[in-house]
Amino acid sequence: MDYLQLMPAVWRLRFPKDTEIDFIQHYEETNIRTIKISLAFGFVLYSSFGILDIFSAPNSTATAWFYRFGIGSPTLLLIVIITHIKALRSYLQQIISGGCIVAAITVSLIIKKTDPSELAHTHYYVGLIIIMMFTGSWARLKFWYAFVSNTLIISIYFVVLVTDGHSIHNRLLIINNGMMLLSAHFVSALTCYFFEVNSRIDFLQRRTIEAEKNKSNAQREELELQAEQLADALNSLENTQAQLVQREKMASLGELTAGIAHEIQNPLNFVNNFAEVSTELAAELQAEAAQPEPDLLTLREAAEDLRQNQERIQQHGRRAANIVRDMLAHARANSGARVPTDLNALADEHLHLAYHSLRAKDPQFNAALTTHFDPALGPVEAIPEALSRVMVNLFNNAFYALQQRKKTEVNGYRPEVQVYTHRSNGRVEVRVRDNGLGIPAPIRDKIFQPFFTTKPTGEGTGLGLSLSYDIITQGHGGTLTVDSQEGEFTEFTIELPQSPAPEKAPQTQAQQGRQDAPVEQIQLPD
C-alpha cells in the first residue's frame, strides 16, 4: 500500500478501516507513557484543589469535599490504575473521556451547592477550563472524543447556571464565564485537532518508511537469491564448459586416432606385402642355390630384389615408427614450453591425418591436397602439441566444408585444400584455404566465440575455433584471422611473431628432395 496516498484522509481524521485500526494501536503505543504521567498529574492537581476549597467555600467545605474526594478523586485514581491494565487499553479513550466528564460534573456540583457569596460559586469555572484544557491536550484524547467531552462539560455548566436561581439573574457572570469556556473549548479543540493530524502524519511516515524498508529487504533477498542462482548457473556453466572442452579434446583425439590408424595402415600394408614377397624371393634363392649348377644371373636378380624389398620395408617401418612417435607426443601432457618446431612438417603431417580421419568415416570422399611450404621457413619457436591441435581444427573444418559442398554440387566440383607457409619481416604465416561452402558474412564475426557453431547438433561443440584462437593469440602472441566468400572459399591465416630465420643447417637427402619441390599436389585414391 502507498501510504502517502492517504494524506487527504489525515485532515478528515479517518483512515480506511484496516489502516485506522493500525493507527489506533500505534497511537496508544506511542502515547501510553504520556497518558499515564498526565493522568497521575491530573489526579494530584485535582485532589490538591481540596485545600483551595477550605478558603473558597468555607461554609460548604464538607459538601465540596464530598464531591471532590468522594466521587471525583476515586474516579481519576481508578482511571490511573486502568492505564496499567493492557487488556483495557483498547477502551482507554472512552474511559478517559468519561473520567474528565465526571471530574467536570463534580466541579459543577460544587459551584451549584456552595453559597452564592462564596468565591467558589463564581470562580470555580476556572477549574472547568483546566479540565477542558487537560482533555484537549495532556490526556491525549483523539479529537472527536475531546470535542464531545468538552461540549458536554460546557453543557453541564450551563445547566447548573440555569437551575441556579441566583446565577440565572447574573447576566454578566453568564456572559463572562460562557465566553471563557467557549474560548477554552475552541483552543482545546484546535490543539487536539492538530496534535492528532501530526500523529496521523507521523504514522503514515513511519509506515511508508517500514514499507520501503520491507521493499528494500525483499529486493535485497531477491537479489541475494538471484546472486545464488547466478552463482549456481555459473558453476553449472563452468562444469558444462569443462565437459565440453574435455569433449572437444576427446573429439580431437578421436579424429587424430582415426587419422593415425588410417595413416599407419598404409606403411604396415607395404611392410606386410614386401615381407611376403621377400619370403618368396628367399625361397627362390634357396631353390636356385640347391641346383647342381645354379644360375648366377638369377641369383643376382633375386638378391637385388630382396635388397630393394628390405629397403622398402625399412622405409615404411620408419614411417610407421614416426607416426607412433607423434602419437606418443600428443599423448604427453602439454608443458607449455616452446621448442624449435618444423612447422612445415607439422602442417603436412596433420593435413594428411585430418584427411584420413574424414576418409575413415566417409570412404567415398576425395579431395586434392596442395601444399606451398616455404623452404626457408626454418625451425619456429612454438608449442608443438598446441599448434597440432590448431592444425587439426582448421583442417577438419576445411574438409567438413568440402564435404558439405560436394553433397550439393556433384558435377564439376573439385574439392581442394591448400596450405601455405611463409616467413616475412620476423613473422611466420600459415594459411589454410579451402574451396568449400564459405562462411556467410552475418556470422563471420562470431566464429571465434565460444560455443558458436554452424554444424548440426551432435557434430560440433563450438569450441574448436575458440580454443584455436586462444592458443594462437594468448599462447603464442600471434593472430588468427579469417577471410571468406560464401559459396567460393574460406581462408584462415595464422601469424606468429618470430626472430629472424636461423642459419640453415646441413640438410639430409630427404629434406633436400622435399625443398626442391615446394609445391606438392596430391590426389589420394579411394
Side-chain angles (χ1 to χ4, degrees):
M1 175 184 291
D2 187 359
Y3 286 97
L4 294 180
Q5 293 181 352
L6 299 177
M7 284 301 295
V10 168
W11 304 100
R12 297 193 300 268
L13 304 181
R14 188 68 183 175
F15 291 136
K17 184 177 179 180
D18 293 339
T19 307
E20 183 69 20
I21 294 173
D22 290 341
F23 168 72
I24 292 173
Q25 183 179 0
H26 165 78
Y27 191 82
E28 292 172 354
E29 291 175 353
T30 55
N31 291 292
I32 186 63
R33 185 171 179 270
T34 302
I35 292 172
K36 290 178 180 180
I37 296 173
S38 298
L39 287 175
F41 175 75
F43 166 74
V44 173
L45 181 64
Y46 176 85
S47 300
S48 65
F49 270 93
I51 301 173
L52 187 61
D53 292 339
I54 300 174
F55 303 99
S56 300
N59 299 325
S60 308
T61 301
T63 303
W65 282 10
F66 169 76
Y67 291 118
R68 186 179 299 278
F69 296 113
I71 299 174
S73 292
T75 301
L76 295 177
L77 180 60
L78 179 61
I79 295 174
V80 171
I81 295 173
I82 289 175
T83 59
H84 295 275
I85 303 175
K86 290 185 178 180
L88 298 177
R89 284 183 182 173
S90 58
Y91 305 101
L92 205 55
Q93 291 284 314
Q94 298 90 323
I95 293 173
I96 295 174
S97 298
C100 291
I101 293 172
V102 169
I105 290 173
T106 60
V107 173
S108 298
L109 289 174
I110 292 173
I111 294 173
K112 181 178 177 61
K113 296 299 181 180
T114 55
D115 189 272
S117 62
E118 292 179 320
L119 193 61
H121 187 79
T122 57
H123 291 79
Y124 263 26
Y125 74 92
V126 176
L128 296 178
I129 293 176
I130 295 174
I131 293 174
M132 292 173 65
M133 297 302 296
F134 180 85
T135 303
S137 57
W138 299 334
R140 292 294 191 265
L141 287 177
K142 294 171 65 180
F143 172 78
W144 288 112
Y145 283 106
F147 183 83
V148 171
S149 298
N150 288 343
T151 301
L152 288 175
I153 290 172
I154 293 176
S155 301
I156 292 169
Y157 176 72
F158 279 106
V159 169
V160 169
L161 289 181
V162 171
T163 57
D164 182 31
H166 182 270
S167 300
I168 191 64
H169 300 291
N170 191 345
R171 295 180 180 178
L172 183 61
L173 176 67
I174 294 174
I175 294 173
N176 178 73
N177 294 355
M179 289 299 296
M180 296 295 291
L181 289 171
L182 289 174
S183 298
H185 186 18
F186 175 78
V187 172
S188 174
L190 198 63
T191 302
C192 187
Y193 177 80
F194 282 106
F195 181 82
E196 184 175 344
V197 166
N198 289 332
S199 296
R200 290 179 178 271
I201 292 175
D202 177 70
F203 167 76
L204 291 183
Q205 290 175 343
R206 287 173 181 266
R207 288 295 184 269
T208 301
I209 292 172
E210 290 177 3
E212 291 296 328
K213 184 177 180 180
N214 292 336
K215 183 179 179 180
S216 299
N217 292 336
Q219 290 177 344
R220 186 183 71 252
E221 292 176 357
E222 183 179 357
L223 290 175
E224 290 176 353
L225 179 61
Q226 290 178 353
E228 292 178 0
Q229 293 175 346
L230 288 175
D232 294 340
L234 180 60
N235 292 334
S236 177
L237 181 61
E238 289 176 348
N239 293 335
T240 302
Q241 184 177 5
Q243 293 174 1
L244 289 174
V245 171
Q246 183 64 24
R247 178 181 174 185
E248 178 68 19
K249 290 180 180 179
M250 296 305 295
S252 299
L253 181 60
E255 293 171 352
L256 281 175
T257 303
I260 289 169
H262 192 280
E263 183 76 6
I264 204 172
Q265 187 65 38
N266 288 333
L268 288 178
N269 287 337
F270 280 114
V271 169
N272 291 333
N273 291 337
F274 284 119
E276 183 178 351
V277 172
S278 297
T279 301
E280 294 176 358
L281 287 174
E284 291 178 3
L285 280 173
Q286 289 177 347
E288 186 65 30
Q291 296 295 329
E293 294 181 2
D295 187 350
L296 294 179
L297 180 60
T298 301
L299 290 176
R300 289 192 185 96
E301 290 178 351
E304 180 61 22
D305 290 340
L306 183 60
R307 185 189 63 79
Q308 292 179 0
N309 286 348
Q310 294 302 315
E311 288 181 353
R312 290 170 181 169
I313 290 174
Q314 184 181 25
Q315 176 185 354
H316 290 290
R318 287 176 179 173
R319 183 181 177 190
N322 290 336
I323 293 173
V324 172
R325 180 200 61 202
D326 292 341
M327 182 173 63
L328 292 175
H330 280 289
R332 295 191 192 103
N334 181 12
S335 63
R338 299 189 185 189
V339 296
T341 303
D342 188 345
L343 202 56
N344 288 338
L346 192 71
D348 184 62
E349 176 185 356
H350 287 86
L351 173 66
H352 290 84
L353 288 177
Y355 179 71
H356 289 304
S357 174
L358 182 59
R359 281 179 50 81
K361 301 175 184 177
D362 184 8
Q364 302 301 321
F365 177 77
N366 196 16
L369 308 181
T370 304
T371 57
H372 301 265
F373 293 143
D374 184 355
L377 190 67
V380 177
E381 293 290 332
I383 306 172
E385 297 85 353
L387 285 186
S388 297
R389 189 171 185 184
V390 174
M391 296 294 182
V392 169
N393 284 326
L394 296 183
F395 294 144
N396 283 342
N397 287 339
F399 289 127
Y400 179 83
L402 299 181
Q403 187 185 42
Q404 297 304 309
R405 183 175 178 181
K406 190 174 183 180
K407 291 179 181 178
T408 60
E409 300 182 21
V410 179
N411 298 323
Y413 174 60
R414 182 175 178 270
E416 181 182 15
V417 173
Q418 301 179 27
V419 183
Y420 303 80
T421 61
H422 180 65
R423 177 190 287 272
S424 176
N425 298 325
R427 299 185 69 85
V428 173
E429 181 181 89
V430 180
R431 288 184 289 150
V432 178
R433 183 186 181 99
D434 67 78
N435 61 342
L437 292 174
I439 302 174
I443 66 172
R444 206 168 294 162
D445 295 335
K446 302 179 181 179
I447 61 172
F448 295 121
Q449 295 179 3
F451 309 111
F452 179 82
T453 180
T454 58
K455 297 180 181 178
T457 303
E459 293 190 17
T461 63
L463 287 173
L465 287 177
S466 173
L467 294 175
S468 298
Y469 185 85
D470 290 343
I471 289 172
I472 297 301
T473 58
Q474 299 179 15
H476 291 79
T479 60
L480 176 58
T481 58
V482 62
D483 182 25
S484 181
Q485 184 175 344
E486 189 173 1
E488 296 294 333
F489 73 93
T490 297
E491 182 175 86
F492 286 92
T493 301
I494 300 172
E495 284 193 2
L496 302 176
Q498 290 293 320
S499 56
E503 296 182 0
K504 291 187 289 185
Q507 299 174 336
T508 64
Q509 183 178 358
Q511 291 174 329
Q512 182 65 40
R514 183 169 59 185
Q515 292 184 359
D516 289 341
V519 178
E520 177 186 7
Q521 191 171 34
I522 305 174
Q523 180 73 33
L524 296 178
D526 292 341

